[in-house]
Structure formats: structure tokens, C-alpha cells
Amino acid sequence: MGNSGGAATNSGIDFQQRIAAYVMTCHLCGIGVISGIDSIDASKLKELRFETNDEIDDLVALGNDFRVLIQAKRSLSISDSIDSEFSSVIAQFVRQYLSDNRQHDAYVLAVSPKASSRVRRELRKLTESVRLNEIGAPGNPHTEAEYEVLEKTQGLIREHFGKQARRAIRPYEATSILSRIHVAVLDIETGGALESAAMMLLNVKTQLDPKTLWGALISLALSLAKDRLSISDKSLRERMGKFITESSRDTRDFLTLGGGRFASGREVIIADYPEENNKIIVAELIRFDPDGKKRLKFSDGKLHFSDDYQWNVLRRFSTATGAQNYLINEMKGIRDTEIILAPINSDEDYDELPYAQAHSEYCEAQLRSLGSAMYCLHCGEAVSEDLAPVIEIDEVGEPARVGVVHRDCVRPLDRTMGHIQSTFFRKYQRLKTFDYATWLRTVQRGQGAFARPINKIGFLGWKSEYDDFSKGNWCIRVILEDGSAQYITERARVLRASKSEAERLSADFNKAIEKAKEDTNPLCYSDSGDMYGAYSTILEEGGNPVQCVYSTAIKFTQSIDAAYSLCDSFYAPLAYLSDSDTGKPVTLNGEVVPLLTNPLLVEEYVTNWQKAGGMELPDYVVSIIENDDRFDRFVRLFMGRGIAVAVDPKWTLRRDLASGYVVQHFESFVGGSDA
């Protein structure tokens, strides 16, 4: 016999440490509330404890205003047996309550998608119901499966409480324990959605291979757990923060011209020589008078010495080093141009004078306030470009500002003080205007339509008249043959309707159920709950079909929404190519507009498009469709023009579509699917 128990144990340990690595990743990368574990605000994490002395001992996350105790179980089933693994989990929750009862603690049962649907759905909904005071409402629990799960869970709570406290549990105590249980379904294993999110976070934030850093975080978690240690925010940053390029909001994330602090005491000007053609002057000028007043005036592309004497400025820098590097590496057409140097005739360090130092501190404070989200001071687009200039805007008629700009957006009077340096930005040069901050914020609870990647052609249903404004108080529950329930959804969110509309839709659905039975191809959900369709279709897609028995209209509740609405955005975020010149979305041969679920793979897709079909692309940048509302408008615009929309498309050398999602009107589908 094989060592299946050992393998299960090892996979459970790996799952536990992956959760810890994900929490640490979110913390280091400045993410707030963690997707799947809403009770943890990673940005406020103070300490992470491993294999603790607490009764819920796998992992404890501490912040100033939260304590989250995590019990990690990769796979778990509901059972009322006192010797079951589920009973062991409940026993730990009860012991924690009796030994260290803190009102605002969260007891998190973290499971993978491999856990039973009774845990992922029914138990999750019931614990949400208790927190929302819904458990006593008429008709709650709703289903046979929910009654079964609630009875078994409450029975184990009563039994373990009696054994440990040596008295019967009081009703409010049972409710309090149940209300503290949070079921978190975390797809964090190899290739899972959360691991992909972690990779994206690390890819943006580190100059290392993100797989290497992700592996290092898992190893760190394993080492800490093995020795039953904890790690503070400070210690975590000392160990791993050095690999995260934007782990702090300090100016050390920027490189100054010449090193050291930002220089503010001088102006170094490259200008057309005012007396003769075909000459350039590089002049070093004192910026402040002894009383702190600025000595020079800039406007309209010129340095104004007086009303009738100006220089036409070509570039402006804070140091001579910056001007020299520009002349050598970037300025074109100066080979036959005479350069006149005019340095300050003094040994005094004007950058160290009080007014200059004060101004440097002001500039550094302005840069710190930018955080990790940086947008061009001129065009307003995100700046994700290696060697993007750090500038100060200081000219007549313009508000004083300090920030970053794209290299192509630099203006002659921009006072260049330094630049960003990023191996990641250098690697992904096509993404120089890509808004990583928006992408990372939205992708954790988005792309519900693409939860199951495909390596073939798929069709993506889209409703042109999707209504997300109606907030009816009713929904439609579907009872399955195993006693569990699903809910009719649109775009992976529970459909809300009026009572009369829900009853009408339920009646129509029941007719469809009966018709499918007659056709010996009944309507089903997969046992994982992520697929709906005909029995044969779910089998073809690799799922295990569970037959729909009947549907009914019921009152909508927040706990139903929390347990059965799977994402905030069904389609978004998605990336598309914009023509650098016109700013318009790029189409392939005027026939199809491509969208991408992973912007980091843009070069791979572009190579396929150019090689497979000889599709010519203009110079482009990569932009974001950040929410479903924009996706709707995008698809409506191009379909209205007769241009197809495809997500992650790849073509064969014969120009046949090999893989990807083709967006089609939902009404064109027979049998339907979630859209």
C-alpha cells in the first residue's frame, strides 16, 4: 500500500504554508483586505504566528484592530462523527472560545476548492447567516443540506463544549461560537487563481523571478511553522522586504541624478546658444537668493533673464551629471554642434544651503505621497516605465508639482531630478502606461468568467441588456438531487428580482428542467458548483453532474449573496492594445479586437498574431478595461461596427482560431449558461 496518509499530510502542510505566503505577499505588496479572508487587512498586519499555543493553532494574523485565527484544511467534509476531521476542527474552535474569549476574534476555516460543497457552500452560508442575524428568520435554513449541516455542526459544538466546560452550553454561547466561524475558500495551490494573483503581485513588485520569491515565502512559512515561531512586520520586511522594490513609500525607490539626496540648489540648463546658430550652451545657475527667493523665471519654453533677453530651453536638470548623461546618451543631432559649458564660478555647495535643503525635503515628501500608484503629470496615464523621469514642475503659470512622467512626455521646462529604475518595467516595456495598481486591485475579485482556463475555443455569452440596477428582494433557489442548493446567477452573482419576476423565472426554469429530463439530458450543476448546463455538457467539460430537481422563488439575503456570488466583476479586468498615435483600440486586420486576461503575456500573443496571420500591428501600449460596465460598452461599440471581440485568441498558421474565448450575444446560445 502507498503512503496516502503521508501524501495527504504533506499536501495539507503545503496548503497551510501557501496561505501564510499569500498573507505575507499581500502585506509586503501593500494590499489591504485579502481576497477570500476579508477579516484580514494585510496592510495593517503587525504579526503572523505559526503553530501557536492558541487552540486554533495553524496560523494567527494580528493587527491593531483584528485577530484572525486560521485552521487550514485542504480538503474537508461535514461529519457528525466525534472522530472525524470536521469534529476535530469544531473542537479547536470550542477550545479557543473557552480558553481565550475575545468578542471580535475571527475563527477562519480555510479550505481549498477540493473541500466538499457542504463546507464551501452550506456551512459558509450558515455562518454568514448567524453574523447577519438571519439564522432565526422563517425558512432559514432553506434546504435539506443546510438543515443537515447546521444540525451536525451545532451537535458537535454542544458535545465538545460539554466535554471541555463540564456543563451544558447556553444558547447564546452556541450562537457566539458559530458566528465567529468564517469559511474561506482559497484557490492557492499550484496554478490556482490566488497563486496567479500572488505571482502578478510579486512580478510587479520585485526584480527577482516571482516564482523564486514565492517559493522563498513558502519556505519561510514552513521554517517558521516547524519551529513554532512568529514574525513581526519589521522582521518580515528585514528578511523579505529588500526584494520588494516598492515595499516602502520612501524616496529610495527613486534614483537621483548623481546619487544622494535630490538636489535643489542649482539649475542646469541645456539651451540654444543665444548669440549664434548651431551652438548649445550648458549653463549651471544658482537657483535661490540668500533670502530664499528664486532667482530665475521659466515660462513658455524659455528661461527669462529679463523682458528682452531669454534663452530657448532644450532641457532642464537639477545636476550637471543629469545634463551630461542626457547629452551623451539621449540628445540626437549634436555631433556637429558646438557645446559651450558655463559652470558656476564658485566652490560653494549650493545644494547644502538651508533653502535648498528645505526645498529638497518638500520634493521628497511629495514623492512619498505618491505611494506605489504613479501617474504621469502630463498625460495622466500610469507610469510603468524603466528610467521614467522624476521631475519638478516649476514655471510661471503652472502649479508647482513633483512626480513622474513618461520619457516621451518630458517637456523642456520639466526640472529632471532623477528617474525610476525597475528590472520588471524593463522586461515589460510594452506596458509602460499600464496601470498595475488598478489591475491588482480589481483582479482578485474579478474575471469570474475565466475561472477555468481553456486550451481550446470557447464561447463567452454576453447580454447586451444586462441590468445591474434592479435590486429586488427575491432570488431563485435550485434544489439538486443530493439535497443541496444552487442559486440562479447572472455574471456569477445571485440574480435579484421582484417576487412576481422571481416566481415567473422559477416557473420557466422548472419547465426547462422537465423538458431536459424528457430529452434524457437533464439540466445539472457540477458538484463543485462552478458549471451549469446539460448533463452531457458538464461531462464533456470534466465535471461531475448533479441533477436539478426543481426551483423556487425565495427571499434574497446577504448570506446567500456572500456564499453564492463568486466575484465582483464577471469579465473585468481585461487588457487591450491601444494605438500609441491615435489612442484607439487596436483591431486585427479590422476584423477582431483582442482582449487579454494576463497583460504580462502580451508579447507572446502579439508574436502569434503576427506569425500566424501576418497581422500588422501599429506601435501600441496596453490599457485596461477595469470593470464590467466598461466591458459592456467596449463590446457594444465593436459588435455594433461588425467587429468581433475575442479574449486570449491564438491562431494556427492557416489562420484558423486555435484557442480563446469568442464573445457572442447570450441570446444566441441554446440551453444557456451563466453570463
Side-chain angles (χ1 to χ4, degrees):
M1 293 178 64
N3 186 13
S4 58
T9 301
N10 289 337
S11 64
I13 292 172
D14 180 66
F15 179 66
Q16 175 183 327
Q17 308 324 324
R18 283 172 172 268
I19 295 171
Y22 187 63
V23 173
M24 290 190 285
T25 296
C26 291
H27 178 62
L28 289 168
C29 295
I31 299 298
V33 174
I34 296 178
S35 179
I37 317 178
D38 296 345
S39 44
I40 297 179
D41 184 341
S43 66
K44 298 179 180 178
L45 185 70
K46 298 298 181 185
E47 187 178 4
L48 204 57
R49 297 176 180 172
F50 297 76
E51 301 291 345
T52 70
N53 293 324
D54 299 284
E55 301 300 337
I56 306 171
D57 61 354
D58 281 354
L59 191 67
V60 178
L62 298 172
N64 288 335
D65 54 358
F66 64 83
R67 184 173 73 154
V68 179
L69 302 101
I70 301 173
Q71 190 66 39
K73 296 293 180 184
R74 179 173 176 268
S75 60
L76 187 69
S77 300
I78 299 291
S79 172
D80 57 0
S81 169
I82 197 68
D83 297 324
S84 67
E85 190 172 18
F86 182 66
S87 174
S88 173
V89 169
I90 297 301
Q92 290 184 65
F93 291 165
V94 171
R95 280 197 299 271
Q96 184 66 45
Y97 180 84
L98 289 171
S99 65
D100 190 8
N101 182 7
R102 302 187 194 181
Q103 183 178 358
H104 298 295
D105 278 357
Y107 304 165
V108 173
L109 172 57
V111 298
S112 80
K114 292 182 172 61
S116 75
S117 63
R118 294 290 196 272
V119 174
R120 293 183 288 106
R121 301 281 191 178
E122 280 80 10
L123 182 61
R124 184 181 177 193
K125 174 183 176 287
L126 291 167
T127 55
E128 290 285 347
S129 296
V130 176
R131 280 189 290 281
L132 296 167
N133 294 318
E134 294 176 355
I135 200 69
N140 196 355
H142 291 127
T143 67
E144 176 186 328
E146 288 177 11
Y147 275 111
E148 175 193 341
V149 170
L150 184 61
E151 183 58 35
K152 289 181 178 180
T153 304
Q154 288 180 328
L156 288 171
I157 289 174
R158 288 193 298 269
E159 186 161 356
H160 286 297
F161 191 99
K163 285 183 177 180
Q164 295 171 33
R166 299 183 183 278
R167 63 173 176 83
I169 192 170
R170 300 181 180 94
Y172 78 87
E173 292 172 320
T175 301
S176 182
I177 292 172
L178 196 59
S179 71
R180 295 181 193 188
I181 300 173
H182 298 246
V183 179
V185 183
L186 305 177
D187 189 7
I188 195 65
E189 296 183 279
T190 302
L194 286 184
E195 186 190 57
S196 297
M199 291 293 185
M200 174 70 83
L201 281 168
L202 294 173
N203 219 335
V204 172
K205 300 287 187 175
T206 183
Q207 297 184 15
L208 300 179
D209 181 342
K211 292 182 180 179
T212 301
L213 187 51
W214 175 242
L217 286 165
I218 293 174
S219 296
L220 173 60
L222 182 61
S223 175
L224 292 168
K226 179 181 178 182
D227 295 324
R228 304 178 69 87
L229 298 174
S230 63
I231 190 165
S232 66
D233 164 50
K234 180 180 178 182
S235 296
L236 179 58
R237 291 193 183 280
E238 287 175 351
R239 286 198 189 192
M240 309 301 294
K242 59 189 174 182
F243 303 120
I244 306 295
T245 57
E246 292 173 352
S247 60
S248 73
R249 295 183 174 185
D250 206 328
T251 54
R252 63 176 175 268
D253 293 333
F254 303 95
L255 296 183
T256 62
L257 299 178
R261 297 187 59 177
F262 288 113
S264 295
R266 290 167 291 173
E267 296 282 6
V268 183
I269 307 300
I270 302 176
D272 290 326
Y273 191 64
E275 308 298 335
E276 299 179 36
N277 294 329
N278 212 34
K279 288 186 180 180
I280 290 174
I281 185 169
V282 181
E284 188 178 32
L285 306 169
I286 302 169
R287 191 178 189 191
F288 296 102
D289 283 332
D291 62 359
K293 184 179 179 180
K294 291 178 182 176
R295 302 176 68 247
L296 305 170
K297 184 170 72 172
F298 296 87
S299 68
D300 300 325
K302 299 180 184 299
L303 168 57
H304 296 261
F305 292 97
S306 66
D307 291 340
D308 55 1
Y309 186 71
Q310 302 94 28
W311 287 1
N312 182 49
V313 177
L314 301 177
R315 284 295 298 269
R316 180 182 175 191
F317 295 89
S318 62
T319 68
T321 301
Q324 177 181 325
N325 290 340
Y326 175 75
L327 287 169
I328 294 172
N329 301 318
E330 297 185 54
M331 194 166 183
K332 299 177 181 179
I334 64 169
R335 179 173 297 180
D336 299 324
T337 302
E338 183 180 347
I339 299 176
I340 299 171
L341 302 179
I344 296 174
N345 187 22
S346 172
D347 293 331
E348 186 167 7
D349 189 348
Y350 292 95
D351 293 324
E352 294 300 317
L353 295 178
Y355 285 107
Q357 288 191 352
H359 193 81
S360 292
E361 290 178 6
Y362 160 78
C363 292
E364 290 168 359
Q366 293 294 303
L367 286 170
R368 283 196 297 271
S369 70
L370 297 178
S372 59
M374 295 178 292
Y375 298 91
C376 180
L377 290 178
H378 294 318
C379 74
E381 295 293 326
V383 177
S384 304
E385 180 181 35
D386 185 42
L387 301 181
V390 177
I391 69 157
E392 178 185 358
I393 295 178
D394 174 29
E395 58 184 283
V396 176
E398 292 284 343
R401 288 182 293 170
V402 177
V404 293
V405 293
H406 299 108
R407 296 171 68 183
D408 291 341
C409 291
V410 176
R411 299 174 182 177
L413 294 188
D414 291 342
R415 186 172 183 273
T416 303
M417 301 185 295
H419 58 263
I420 302 168
Q421 182 169 292
S422 168
T423 302
F424 175 77
F425 290 166
R426 194 178 310 132
K427 180 179 179 182
Y428 297 101
Q429 295 182 39
R430 289 290 190 180
L431 303 178
K432 64 182 180 180
T433 65
F434 191 75
D435 191 346
Y436 289 102
T438 295
W439 184 272
L440 295 173
R441 186 182 69 250
T442 55
V443 75
Q444 292 190 78
R445 288 284 295 170
Q447 295 190 352
F450 312 104
R452 293 181 297 111
I454 61 170
N455 293 314
K456 58 182 181 180
I457 301 172
F459 294 96
L460 190 63
W462 170 73
K463 286 187 177 180
S464 59
E465 300 299 325
Y466 175 68
D467 174 15
D468 62 349
F469 294 100
S470 301
K471 300 295 181 183
N473 292 322
W474 287 74
C475 58
I476 303 160
R477 182 187 68 206
V478 181
I479 299 299
L480 306 182
E481 62 181 338
D482 64 355
S484 66
Q486 287 289 345
Y487 291 81
I488 299 296
T489 62
E490 279 195 319
R491 300 191 176 187
R493 297 199 65 82
V494 174
L495 174 66
R496 299 176 64 171
S498 66
K499 182 178 180 181
S500 60
E501 180 71 2
E503 289 174 342
R504 182 187 67 80
L505 292 171
S506 176
D508 290 345
F509 191 76
N510 284 329
K511 290 178 183 178
I513 289 175
E514 293 305 315
K515 176 66 167 59
K517 285 181 183 177
E518 293 173 3
D519 295 339
T520 62
N521 197 16
L523 293 177
C524 303
Y525 283 87
S526 63
D527 58 354
S528 62
D530 63 351
M531 286 187 280
Y532 160 75
Y535 188 98
S536 59
T537 302
I538 291 178
L539 282 178
E540 290 169 2
E541 294 293 329
N544 182 30
V546 183
Q547 188 171 330
C548 300
V549 179
Y550 68 92
S551 72
T552 184
I554 66 165
K555 290 280 283 186
F556 174 87
T557 68
Q558 291 183 55
S559 60
I560 291 173
D561 190 44
Y564 291 90
S565 293
L566 302 181
C567 60
D568 294 333
S569 293
F570 189 57
Y571 304 106
L574 291 169
Y576 67 95
L577 277 56
S578 295
D579 188 309
S580 298
D581 182 35
T582 67
K584 294 181 179 181
V586 171
T587 62
L588 303 179
N589 292 349
E591 299 173 355
V592 59
V593 57
L595 303 174
L596 299 176
T597 58
N598 186 347
L600 301 185
L601 300 179
V602 62
E603 296 283 3
E604 173 185 322
Y605 281 93
V606 167
T607 298
N608 169 262
W609 302 337
Q610 292 175 328
K611 183 176 181 179
M615 302 175 186
E616 295 299 326
L617 274 74
D619 186 39
Y620 64 86
V621 294
V622 183
S623 303
I624 295 177
I625 299 173
E626 68 268 24
N627 55 51
D628 281 355
D629 182 56
R630 288 204 68 198
F631 176 84
D632 288 339
R633 286 186 281 133
F634 190 97
V635 173
R636 191 175 295 116
L637 175 67
F638 283 95
M639 282 192 169
R641 296 174 177 173
I643 297 174
V645 179
V647 181
D648 294 340
K650 285 188 176 181
W651 279 268
T652 68
L653 293 177
R654 295 179 178 178
R655 296 193 66 180
D656 297 320
L657 189 63
S659 62
Y661 297 87
V662 178
V663 179
Q664 289 190 351
H665 282 287
F666 177 75
E667 292 78 8
S668 68
F669 286 96
V670 178
S673 64
D674 196 0

